[in-house]
């Protein structure tokens, strides 16, 4: 694979685009452009392993091969066939096709998949002098998007989604994706200094992601990626990327990261997952009732994802749970910050007080809000309102 620049597309859950863009900036990528549910950037082949190993909030790393108008099947076929597939896919490479079409004349996804597959096979067959390709080798997953009659073609370098860190072999009901859990931790601005608590820890995902962030440990170090098997990508680049990530990890520090759940089985799973993530010395899990949550200390933060009502509990049960949890967290010092993810439309009423700030996020396809309770934010807002009123009153007097 040549060292020329590559356009990458990083899909992500809606609401996480800014966080992904910030990650790409920290990794030194250029031409970063955030769009709905994805972020584009420019890099080199060496960035393929770096992005896969280090991204916390992105869904996968796609390498763009080309983009062109596709108002009909002929345009889709010819545009796809014109791309240099033989530069990436070897003679025996397998090249399955997945994709989607939105607001386009070519609305049948299966038909588009068949056309793209046929065009790639035609190009590769001509390049290798074969009518039928074996497809017995490594997987080169092709992905396409057709948006407003414009097609973009990609190779998926990740394989399984980046939310699969490799530590959660077993889960409990209604699991939270690791990428969203990491986003919640980052949005709480946790950096490892204050106590960090998740009173509804389930299989431990939020607390484990907090531990990885506190230690600055790359989330992809314990898993493999599709592009590791690509012949055209120098294997040394993966070793370099892993070494770079490990060099940035913090060692010898202690952190106060805690997860509690009323279900003993969930706590055992969380502990097992922490061992797999190699953070068992950083995070502590125990059986505990979230409605009786308390914590000593002047500072800290709670980041949690309680049952929503639609999935694990009936709405009335969920509301009773929120009310009891709200009373428990109300006893914390004002300097504590509380972040709660919920899809329940009446969460604030049930919890007992309105959030100081809300942020729209998606848990898969489920629309949620991250309810933020932060007295510092409330004081800032009150000060800003007082200043606005003072300025308005001064203008009226003039």
């Amino acid at each position: 694979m040549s060292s020329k620049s590559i356009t990458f597309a990083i899909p992500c859950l809606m609401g996480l685009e800014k966080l992904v863009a910030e990650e790409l900036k920290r990794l030194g990528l250029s031409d970063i452009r955030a769009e709905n549910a994805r972020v584009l950037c420019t890099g080199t082949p060496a960035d393929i392993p770096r992005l896969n190993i280090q991204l916390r909030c992105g869904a996968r790393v796609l390498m763009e091969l080309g983009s062109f108008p596709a108002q009909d099947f002929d345009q889709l076929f010819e545009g796809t066939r014109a791309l240099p597939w033989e530069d990436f896919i070897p003679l025996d490479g397998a090249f399955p096709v997945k994709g989607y079409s939105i607001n386009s004349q070519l609305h049948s996804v299966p038909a588009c998949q068949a056309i793209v597959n046929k065009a790639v096979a035609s190009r590769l067959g001509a390049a290798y002098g074969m009518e039928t390709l074996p497809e017995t080798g490594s997987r080169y997953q092709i992905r396409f998007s057709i948006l407003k009659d414009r097609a973009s073609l990609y190779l998926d370098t990740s394989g399984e989604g980046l939310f699969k860190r490799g530590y959660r072999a077993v889960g409990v009901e209604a699991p939270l994706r690791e990428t969203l859990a990491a986003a919640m931790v980052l949005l709480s601005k946790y950096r490892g200094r204050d106590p960090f608590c998740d009173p509804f820890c389930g299989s431990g995902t939020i607390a484990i992601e907090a531990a990885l962030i506190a230690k600055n440990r790359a989330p992809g170090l314990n898993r493999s990626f599709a592009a590791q098997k690509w012949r055209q990508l120098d294997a040394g680049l993966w070793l370099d990327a892993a070494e770079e990530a490990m060099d940035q990890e913090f060692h010898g520090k202690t952190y106060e990261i805690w997860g509690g759940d009323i279900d003993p089985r969930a706590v055992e799973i969380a502990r097992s997952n922490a061992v797999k993530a190699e953070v068992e010395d950083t995070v502590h899990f125990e059986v505990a009732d979230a409605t009786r949550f308390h914590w000593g200390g002047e500072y800290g933060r709670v980041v949690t994802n309680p049952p929503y009502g639609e999935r694990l509990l009936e709405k009335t049960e969920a509301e009773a749970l929120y009310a009891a949890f709200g009373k428990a967290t109300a006893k914390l010092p004002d300097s504590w910050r509380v972040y709660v993810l919920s899809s329940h439309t009446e969460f604030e009423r049930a919890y007992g007080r309105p959030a100081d700030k809300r942020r729209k996020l998606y848990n898969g396809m489920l629309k949620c809000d991250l309810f933020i309770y932060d007295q510092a934010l409330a004081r800032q807002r009150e000060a800003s309102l007082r200043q606005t009123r003072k300025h308005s009153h001064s203008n009226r007097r003039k």
Side-chain angles (χ1 to χ4, degrees), residues 263-280:
D263 181 359
R265 177 177 169 270
V267 171
E268 284 304 310
I269 291 170
R271 289 171 178 162
S272 175
N273 289 343
V275 172
K276 295 186 184 78
E278 300 180 17
V279 295
E280 71 275 14

Side-chain angles (χ1 to χ4, degrees), residues 140-365:
Y140 294 76
Q141 179 70 61
I142 296 171
R143 294 185 182 269
F144 68 85
S145 67
I146 305 176
L147 180 62
K148 296 181 180 179
D149 295 328
R150 187 167 187 84
S152 296
L153 276 292
Y154 310 92
L155 282 177
D156 184 346
T157 73
S158 300
E160 289 193 304
L162 296 184
F163 72 91
K164 294 191 176 181
R165 315 289 208 215
Y167 66 73
R168 195 169 67 182
V170 182
V172 293
E173 288 184 80
L176 187 73
R177 283 197 171 185
E178 290 86 332
T179 45
L180 180 55
M184 291 170 63
V185 176
L186 291 171
L187 288 169
S188 79
K189 295 181 169 55
Y190 175 69
R191 297 297 182 269
R193 297 183 183 91
D194 305 333
F196 183 98
C197 304
D198 178 6
F200 296 95
C201 74
S203 57
T205 308
I206 293 174
I208 290 172
E209 290 297 321
L212 292 172
I213 288 168
K215 292 166 69 75
N216 202 36
R217 180 173 175 81
L221 282 172
N222 288 352
R223 58 158 287 180
S224 60
F225 304 94
Q228 284 179 272
K229 297 180 180 179
W230 293 3
R231 296 175 197 167
Q232 293 83 347
L233 191 61
D234 183 0
L237 295 176
W238 292 94
L239 295 174
D240 292 343
E243 186 175 334
E244 175 194 0
M246 288 187 287
D247 284 346
Q248 295 172 354
E249 189 171 338
F250 303 144
H251 297 280
K253 296 186 177 184
T254 58
Y255 306 96
E256 200 171 358
I257 302 173
W258 175 88
D261 200 281
I262 201 167
D263 181 359
R265 177 177 169 270
V267 171
E268 284 304 310
I269 291 170
R271 289 171 178 162
S272 175
N273 289 343
V275 172
K276 295 186 184 78
E278 300 180 17
V279 295
E280 71 275 14
D281 60 339
T282 308
V283 60
H284 173 67
F285 293 106
E286 65 179 349
V287 178
D289 185 347
T291 64
R292 299 180 180 179
F293 175 75
H294 65 278
W295 201 269
E298 186 179 353
Y299 297 98
R301 70 202 66 211
V302 173
V303 181
T304 195
N305 176 44
Y308 296 160
E310 295 93 332
R311 301 164 74 184
L312 294 183
L313 299 174
E314 295 298 326
K315 283 195 173 185
T316 52
E317 291 177 301
E319 288 179 5
L321 181 64
Y322 298 157
F325 182 54
K327 290 178 181 176
T329 55
K331 298 175 184 177
L332 293 169
D334 286 348
S335 51
W336 274 69
R337 298 172 179 177
V338 178
Y339 296 73
V340 185
L341 184 72
S342 179
S343 68
H344 199 299
T345 55
E346 295 295 316
F347 172 82
E348 290 167 294
R349 176 188 58 77
Y351 187 72
R353 60 189 190 274
D356 299 310
K357 187 177 180 181
R358 293 168 58 167
R359 177 150 181 167
K360 283 186 171 54
L361 295 174
Y362 282 80
N363 186 359
M365 297 301 292

Side-chain angles (χ1 to χ4, degrees), residues 371-390:
F371 297 95
I372 302 171
Y373 294 88
D374 183 344
Q375 288 298 310
L377 280 175
R379 286 192 292 269
Q380 289 173 11
R381 184 177 294 116
E382 287 171 6
S384 177
L385 285 171
R386 283 197 299 270
Q387 188 65 29
T388 301
R389 293 192 193 102
K390 182 179 178 181

Side-chain angles (χ1 to χ4, degrees), residues 22-194:
E22 290 171 353
E23 288 191 273
L24 294 173
K25 186 176 179 180
R26 283 194 296 270
L27 287 169
L29 280 294
S30 57
D31 301 324
I32 300 168
R33 293 152 284 158
E35 299 180 352
N36 281 339
R38 71 173 190 172
V39 184
L40 304 176
C41 64
T42 302
T44 68
D47 291 312
I48 293 174
R50 294 180 70 241
L51 292 171
N52 276 294
I53 289 172
Q54 296 206 43
L55 283 178
R56 299 188 189 279
C57 301
R60 57 183 66 248
V61 180
L62 306 180
M63 181 174 65
E64 184 179 289
L65 268 67
S67 182
F68 49 85
Q71 294 182 321
D72 55 42
F73 289 129
D74 286 340
Q75 280 189 319
L76 180 61
F77 180 90
E78 295 301 332
T80 301
R81 195 181 188 282
L83 300 176
W85 297 100
E86 67 278 8
D87 290 351
F88 306 95
I89 304 176
L91 185 150
D92 65 343
F95 50 95
V97 178
K98 292 182 180 180
Y100 62 87
S101 177
I102 300 174
N103 296 330
S104 298
Q105 296 184 55
L106 297 178
H107 52 80
S108 172
V109 171
C112 292
Q113 286 176 318
I115 292 294
V116 169
N117 185 273
K118 183 178 179 181
V120 175
S122 175
R123 172 83 184 209
L124 292 176
Y128 297 125
M130 298 183 69
E131 287 189 12
T132 303
L133 295 162
E135 294 196 59
T136 54
S138 299
R139 186 184 184 94
Y140 294 76
Q141 179 70 61
I142 296 171
R143 294 185 182 269
F144 68 85
S145 67
I146 305 176
L147 180 62
K148 296 181 180 179
D149 295 328
R150 187 167 187 84
S152 296
L153 276 292
Y154 310 92
L155 282 177
D156 184 346
T157 73
S158 300
E160 289 193 304
L162 296 184
F163 72 91
K164 294 191 176 181
R165 315 289 208 215
Y167 66 73
R168 195 169 67 182
V170 182
V172 293
E173 288 184 80
L176 187 73
R177 283 197 171 185
E178 290 86 332
T179 45
L180 180 55
M184 291 170 63
V185 176
L186 291 171
L187 288 169
S188 79
K189 295 181 169 55
Y190 175 69
R191 297 297 182 269
R193 297 183 183 91
D194 305 333

